[in-house]
Amino acid sequence: VQLQAYGGGLVQAGGSLRLSCVASGMPFNQYAMGWFRQAPGKEREFVAAIGRGGFNTPYADSVKGRFTISRNNADNTVALQMNNLKSEDTAVYFCASAYSRRADLVQISPDAYQYWGQGTLVTVSS
């Protein structure tokens, strides 16, 4: 199983970025997908997740209304559209996958995710 995340970069506060993650080696439509982030000196934290069916999408309170997660089961991708970025969004962002028996089941704990990508760095300058 391989998860390849890309799309990070340097952006000014108030700007936007779109992260993407491509999965291979797993039946993508049987996995919930999540985005997590880790800032320097901090623990990894939940950002957003999406169920197998694409209709259950919890978000961290800190990103609600600014970030949107989506998935395309046809090409095994999950995306995170990030708008109105703030300096506190600076972190390495990871995509992860969690096997899910139900289309609406979504986990927000990183312990529930079996596979992780390598991370992509997002830097927001103020």
Side-chain angles (χ1 to χ4, degrees):
V1 175
Q2 198 167 27
L3 300 176
Q4 183 72 36
Y6 59 95
L10 174 63
V11 63
Q12 286 189 332
S16 298
L17 278 177
R18 183 177 179 86
L19 305 183
S20 295
C21 176
V22 181
S24 60
M26 69 181 209
F28 187 75
N29 61 2
Q30 294 183 22
Y31 284 75
M33 300 298 296
W35 285 96
F36 295 79
R37 67 186 182 186
Q38 188 165 17
K42 294 188 177 181
E43 293 189 354
R44 190 170 297 189
E45 65 174 1
F46 169 76
V47 176
I50 187 165
R52 286 169 38 187
F55 50 83
N56 190 0
T57 55
Y59 294 89
D61 288 343
S62 58
V63 307
K64 215 171 279 185
R66 301 187 297 122
F67 291 11
T68 302
I69 189 171
S70 60
R71 68 186 292 159
N72 185 331
N73 287 349
D75 60 13
N76 292 0
T77 60
V78 59
L80 185 69
Q81 177 66 41
M82 306 185 295
N83 298 329
N84 191 20
L85 282 160
K86 304 176 181 180
S87 57
E88 52 263 42
D89 295 318
T90 294
V92 177
Y93 284 71
F94 300 88
C95 63
S97 62
Y99 177 73
S100 178
R101 294 188 184 89
R102 286 167 29 198
D104 62 336
L105 188 62
V106 179
Q107 303 286 351
I108 64 172
S109 167
D111 293 338
Y113 288 76
Q114 293 87 38
Y115 302 109
W116 292 81
Q118 84 291 356
T120 184
L121 176 62
V122 172
T123 303
V124 184
S125 63
S126 55

